[in-house]
Amino acid sequence: MTAIGASPNRSGGHARVTGHQEYLADLATGDVLHVKLVKLDCARARIISIDTTAAEAVPGVAFVMTAADLPQPVPLFGPQFKDRPPLAVGETKFHGEPVAAVAAATREAAEEAARLVVVEHEVLDGVYSVADALDPAKPLVQDPAGRPGDPLNGSNVRTEHHFGWGDTEAAEAAAHLVVDHNYQFPMVTHFAIEPHGFMAAPDGDGIVIWSTIQHPFWLQKIMADLLDLPLSKVRIIAPDLGGGFGGKQQPKYEPLIAFMALRAGRPVRLILTLDETFQAVRRAAIDVRVRTGFQEDGTILFEEFECNFLVGAYVDIADRVVTKSSYLAAGPYRVPNVKIVARALLSHTTPSTAFRGFGLPQISWGRELNLDEGARALGIDAVQIRLRNLPEYGEEFVLSDPPDRADGRWRETVEKAAKLIGWDTPVPPGRGRGISLGAKSGPTTGLSYSTVRLLADGSAIVFSGTSDMGQGARTVFAQIAANELGIPVSEVTVVMGDTATVPYDQQTSASRSTVIMGNAVLKAARDILGKVKRMAAEHYDVDESEITIEDGIVRLPDRKFTVVEVARAALAPLGGEVIGNGEDRWDQMAGHPLGGPPVFFEFNATAVEVGVDEETGEIVIHRYVTVSDVGKALNPNQVHGQDEGAAIQGLGHTLMEHYIMDDAGRIRNLGALDYRVPTSKDLPREILVASIENGDGPGPYGAKGVSEGGILANSAAVGSAVYEATGVVIRDLPLTPERVWRALKERT
């Protein structure tokens, strides 16, 4: 397997780092109208009137669209619930929700006209926190009429879920120790390098939509339904993204741009500013109560979770985040009694969506700190209490899932992390160490198709509906095809991002690409090998049963050829190509709370060593260790990069990132200056990344997904290390210098 386990040059990597990659904003399209959104400087307001007269008089302005210009009643869209209009109808529900949109010949004209739109409005009281959302005296975010038959439609609880097994009350009566605390995780944004962008144009009797989206086929389905068009008349083009992290999974302004393009009869394009992107997408905040009961030897007897997710004004995909993360709230541990209540709470804030880790970082923060507190009270080492409660390979630990889905020898991962951090060595003065574990369900369903074409000259083209947003999917798929066909990786081209060209892929999320689409590519390449075998039998007059193909070599009884040599000989003189198709399918399981058990788990152990400046509250991370169970690293450099990137992104929400909102629900720290993300000056002084490879994954050659593991557990590891360094427990993120400093002052 010469191409597998190697790290060839990354496909598209040179263009990314040199600035030559064309993002959606760079695409040259003639006769395009530029769009600028019109917004109010508040979160919730009643729209009294909209005067577009002055805006429409600006030279170059084609038109100004308001909700009154949309089909009536205004159509709603959403991946889970149809609850979001393309423009605000009657009132705005979050800071940044557009009330109108200007289309003009130049960006400058659109911006000038947008400033001239006069919106008479009345600012209204809103719901901006978990406490607000649970307060029956607060206003409703969504009209109960839009939730017919929902027993919760008179509240801001959009959904409430109950999971668990065993008897937690009986277990509590037998517990030696119960640790019970509340934890908070703030709203944070994705901060992808490429802001969100959208473009649409009429296409005969259909429409073509360009979008910075991870799920082009899901967008196609939503838009076909919204526009009442067959799927064949809705073409989605999704150029490679400049980062996604889950924030570009679902539609945002594609419906608006589509309606504007159909009205204009020509292309229209909207590229959000960074500030507007902050207003468009975020991770769900959470307040979680964790109750953990222990036996005297540290064995976990029970866990109870009450998880309140603040999902925003519209649901987007957030309720799926709530269910999937809460279902695994007890983590990777053997817990015989579990009770989980999880709520998706509506609020007058930016709609939340998927974010790397899919809700597990929020819950892991509380669960792991609770476990540390129990360990300290029982006098048990933090590593040992975790090892004591880890399931063995294949052992059932989520009691409603098949035990064979417990797919990792996780003890190896924990022991590796402890060794790399020097857990059993003396801690330098003024420092502390912490360790934390995280597990995330991979996809629970999946469907991916791939077509591979082996061309007459021995090169190949892979067609895949997966989106490459920087995770390196193009490179891995090229490696798989090259490995099977016995050709250089450099001679494989991967085509993505156009629903009119590539076969269907369910979505690009849940770290599924290498596993599910990777399997489809593998099967497509092996379909070619089967055809080459038949071609060899016919061309060389050999019985097919006497032919084998391995490592790109076709072996006949008395001679051998490469796959390419056989294909060339059989295709001559007409030329042509050999085409293979592959499919990987994971169907739903009836009655399962998530639609099915996970295809695989992502498991990570993170360990850190920190120092805390007690005069300023600043945390310095001296050593950072992240170890993931990856099955098989098809491309070690990319696996390393994914884990390291996830770690640094997680340090953002651990140490600094959070929305700051005023009493009117306005986000006050929009943009790169006031919203801090980690820079090179904030990195740990030493980062160690390691992988555990046992080849036990369901993907090609035993691979598992890896891109989210490194973000699951870092917050609690840092929080625990801060306690060990200072004796202070902090249960609210982020661990900013001010928050740490205040906690230290309260200690003294």
Side-chain angles (χ1 to χ4, degrees):
M1 298 192 297
T2 56
I4 299 302
S7 298
N9 288 339
R10 186 167 180 165
S11 177
H14 186 267
R16 284 180 182 272
V17 300
T18 59
H20 287 89
Q21 176 169 318
E22 285 195 336
Y23 295 102
L24 193 149
D26 302 317
L27 300 181
T29 301
D31 198 33
V32 66
L33 291 174
H34 299 270
V35 176
K36 186 66 180 178
L37 303 176
V38 178
K39 307 174 191 176
L40 302 178
D41 191 28
C42 59
R44 182 176 181 236
R46 183 169 66 89
I47 302 169
I48 299 170
S49 65
I50 302 176
D51 185 352
T52 64
T53 305
E56 290 170 331
V58 173
V61 170
F63 61 90
V64 180
M65 179 170 277
T66 69
D69 301 309
L70 294 168
Q72 302 295 318
V74 173
L76 305 178
F77 68 95
Q80 288 191 272
F81 304 103
K82 293 182 180 180
D83 62 354
R84 182 169 183 168
L87 289 168
V89 179
E91 69 173 48
T92 60
K93 294 187 181 295
F94 65 93
H95 184 213
E97 182 172 24
V99 299
V102 176
T106 66
R107 285 189 295 270
E108 293 76 14
E111 291 169 356
E112 180 184 353
R115 289 191 292 268
L116 295 176
V117 175
V118 178
V119 184
E120 184 181 0
H121 63 280
E122 176 190 2
V123 178
L124 302 173
D125 185 28
V127 174
Y128 305 123
S129 66
V130 167
D132 285 349
L134 293 172
D135 185 349
K138 286 290 186 178
L140 295 179
V141 176
Q142 294 188 359
D143 187 344
R147 300 165 57 183
D150 180 357
L152 299 172
N153 64 9
S155 74
N156 285 316
V157 179
R158 185 58 182 89
T159 55
E160 182 172 294
H161 306 277
H162 296 261
F163 305 125
W165 52 84
D167 186 339
T168 58
E169 291 185 6
E172 182 171 1
H176 174 76
L177 171 70
V178 176
V179 179
D180 184 344
H181 291 297
N182 292 292
Y183 302 87
Q184 291 187 332
F185 192 110
M187 301 182 201
V188 300
T189 192
H190 300 68
F191 212 127
I193 292 174
E194 179 194 19
H196 292 242
F198 319 89
M199 187 163 64
D203 185 21
D205 55 352
I207 191 168
V208 57
I209 299 169
W210 293 259
S211 174
T212 54
I213 198 155
Q214 297 172 224
H215 303 342
F217 285 94
W218 201 338
L219 174 61
Q220 181 189 42
K221 180 180 178 181
I222 289 174
M223 294 306 304
D225 178 71
L226 194 70
L227 300 173
D228 194 24
L229 289 171
L231 289 170
S232 62
K233 298 298 181 181
V234 179
R235 180 183 181 186
I236 307 298
I237 300 176
D240 284 6
L241 312 178
F245 314 118
K248 296 175 181 175
Q249 283 191 15
Q250 303 298 339
K252 302 293 184 292
Y253 294 123
E254 292 92 342
L256 171 62
I257 297 307
F259 283 121
M260 296 183 77
L262 293 174
R263 174 174 170 176
R266 58 193 279 200
V268 299
R269 176 158 53 191
L270 168 65
I271 305 298
L272 299 186
T273 65
L274 185 59
D275 285 14
E276 289 173 324
T277 296
F278 273 47
Q279 294 176 315
V281 61
R282 68 168 175 89
R283 184 198 283 276
I286 184 175
D287 285 9
V288 57
R289 181 183 180 187
V290 186
R291 304 183 72 244
T292 311
F294 299 89
Q295 291 181 339
E296 193 169 2
D297 67 354
T299 300
I300 301 173
L301 272 182
F302 77 90
E303 285 198 294
E304 292 184 344
F305 298 86
E306 183 179 358
C307 308
N308 288 308
F309 288 80
L310 199 70
V311 303
Y314 306 113
V315 175
D316 197 278
I317 200 66
D319 187 56
R320 177 66 174 174
V321 175
V322 171
T323 56
K324 192 173 179 182
S325 61
S326 299
Y327 184 71
L328 203 62
Y333 302 110
R334 182 195 306 110
V335 185
N337 304 283
V338 175
K339 181 179 180 180
I340 302 163
V341 179
R343 302 182 185 92
L345 303 178
L346 298 169
S347 57
H348 291 107
T349 60
T350 298
S352 67
T353 188
F355 194 121
R356 195 177 202 165
F358 214 67
L360 264 304
Q362 296 100 301
I363 297 177
S364 298
W365 161 241
R367 181 194 66 237
E368 295 294 304
L369 286 186
N370 243 35
L371 185 55
D372 282 331
E373 186 161 330
R376 290 193 294 268
L378 296 169
I380 300 174
D381 176 78
V383 170
Q384 292 306 312
I385 200 170
R386 286 170 169 81
L387 292 175
R388 190 164 299 173
N389 289 286
L390 273 184
E392 298 299 326
Y393 184 81
E395 179 183 354
E396 189 175 21
F397 73 103
V398 178
L399 296 188
S400 57
D401 283 354
D404 61 352
R405 297 295 175 89
D407 62 356
R409 292 173 174 82
W410 295 340
R411 174 178 291 270
E412 296 178 37
T413 308
V414 179
E415 291 174 342
K416 183 73 170 179
K419 181 179 180 180
L420 289 175
I421 201 68
W423 190 264
D424 293 327
T425 63
V427 181
R431 298 188 190 179
R433 292 188 187 129
I435 191 166
S436 179
L437 310 185
K440 176 186 176 294
S441 301
T444 56
T445 61
L447 178 58
S448 296
Y449 298 93
S450 178
T451 296
V452 177
R453 296 165 56 193
L454 178 62
L455 306 182
D457 67 349
S459 62
I461 304 175
V462 174
F463 293 85
S464 163
T466 295
S467 296
D468 194 320
M469 50 193 169
Q471 82 276 39
R474 286 183 183 275
T475 310
V476 168
F477 299 160
Q479 287 179 260
I480 294 169
N483 189 71
E484 292 297 314
L485 300 177
I487 62 177
V489 174
S490 60
E491 294 186 11
V492 181
T493 295
V494 179
V495 176
M496 295 176 165
D498 186 341
T499 58
T501 302
V502 299
Y504 177 85
D505 184 34
Q506 182 184 2
Q507 57 201 76
T508 305
S509 63
S511 305
R512 74 179 62 226
S513 299
T514 295
V515 174
I516 299 181
M517 182 56 79
N519 279 339
V521 173
L522 182 76
K523 292 174 182 178
R526 289 180 176 175
D527 188 25
I528 288 176
L529 296 183
K531 293 179 179 180
V532 168
K533 186 176 183 181
R534 292 190 290 275
M535 294 164 70
E538 181 177 349
H539 186 75
Y540 298 108
D541 194 23
V542 177
D543 191 281
E544 190 175 332
S545 64
E546 297 182 89
I547 301 174
T548 61
I549 303 180
E550 186 177 2
D551 295 335
I553 301 298
V554 182
R555 299 182 184 276
L556 282 64
D558 58 346
R559 49 195 157 159
K560 62 183 179 180
F561 303 94
T562 66
V563 167
V564 171
E565 287 172 336
V566 172
R568 282 175 177 166
L571 291 172
L574 296 179
E577 58 190 46
V578 188
I579 301 175
N581 292 297
E583 171 189 340
D584 198 42
R585 175 186 291 268
W586 297 77
D587 287 315
Q588 289 190 336
M589 179 182 290
H592 192 283
L594 301 182
V599 175
F600 58 86
F601 287 98
E602 287 191 70
F603 180 83
N604 176 271
T606 294
V608 300
E609 182 177 305
V610 310
V612 180
D613 186 330
E614 299 212 4
E615 294 298 317
T616 66
E618 182 182 10
I619 298 171
V620 176
I621 301 178
H622 293 275
R623 175 177 287 186
Y624 187 104
V625 171
T626 176
V627 184
S628 291
D629 170 58
V630 305
K632 172 67 178 178
L634 305 189
N635 186 313
N637 280 356
Q638 289 192 172
V639 169
H640 182 111
Q642 285 293 311
D643 261 359
E644 191 172 81
I648 301 308
Q649 191 169 35
L651 287 178
H653 68 236
T654 299
L655 300 176
M656 59 194 70
E657 292 187 51
H658 64 300
Y659 278 172
I660 299 171
M661 298 173 63
D662 65 14
D663 293 340
R666 296 177 296 184
I667 305 169
R668 308 316 295 168
N669 58 335
L670 297 173
L673 291 180
D674 295 322
Y675 182 97
R676 283 208 60 209
V677 295
T679 69
S680 58
K681 294 183 179 180
D682 302 300
L683 298 181
R685 294 184 174 177
E686 181 182 18
I687 304 178
L688 301 175
V689 179
S691 299
I692 299 298
E693 298 186 61
N694 288 311
D696 51 2
Y701 317 111
K704 303 175 187 176
V706 301
S707 64
E708 299 173 88
I711 202 172
L712 300 177
N714 39 26
S715 295
V718 174
S720 179
V722 168
Y723 172 83
E724 295 298 332
T726 65
V728 170
V729 176
I730 302 174
R731 300 188 177 93
D732 298 341
L733 289 176
L735 301 175
T736 60
E738 180 183 357
R739 177 166 280 157
V740 174
W741 179 83
R742 291 185 182 278
L744 291 171
K745 292 301 179 184
E746 291 174 3
R747 176 199 65 182
T748 57

